[in-house]
Amino acid sequence: MSSKRAAKLWKCKIPLKIEVFFLLLLQDRLPAGEVLGKRHWGGGWGGQHCITCRLLETVDHIFFQCVFARFV
């Protein structure tokens, strides 16, 4: 992530927890199944796969590609 993006994000007038969420999102550090698999975490409902559609759970899948995300 570029320092210009981070500087713009921190200057925004939004709650701190939303800023932190966006920083984790931009750094690909949200605990999606793909990231948890890289950390050798095997538990949870679907493991590395989406419990709705059984595809690999990535951040992009959670917010844009999943059938449930498209519905919402």
Side-chain angles (χ1 to χ4, degrees), residues 27-70:
Q27 295 173 356
D28 198 28
R29 293 183 54 209
L30 287 178
E34 178 186 38
V35 175
L36 293 173
K38 289 177 186 176
R39 297 178 189 171
H40 304 291
W41 182 82
W45 295 343
Q48 294 181 8
H49 297 88
C50 176
I51 61 171
T52 305
C53 56
R54 302 289 180 210
L55 296 174
L56 182 63
E57 187 181 65
T58 62
V59 173
D60 187 51
H61 174 78
I62 293 170
F63 289 107
F64 304 110
Q65 296 175 351
C66 184
V67 176
F68 184 74
R70 288 182 183 180

Side-chain angles (χ1 to χ4, degrees), residues 9-45:
L9 185 63
W10 287 115
K11 289 180 182 179
C12 291
K13 301 288 183 185
I14 56 176
L16 180 62
K17 59 184 168 182
I18 295 175
E19 288 181 14
V20 171
F21 175 80
F22 279 125
L23 282 174
L24 291 175
L25 178 68
L26 292 172
Q27 295 173 356
D28 198 28
R29 293 183 54 209
L30 287 178
E34 178 186 38
V35 175
L36 293 173
K38 289 177 186 176
R39 297 178 189 171
H40 304 291
W41 182 82
W45 295 343

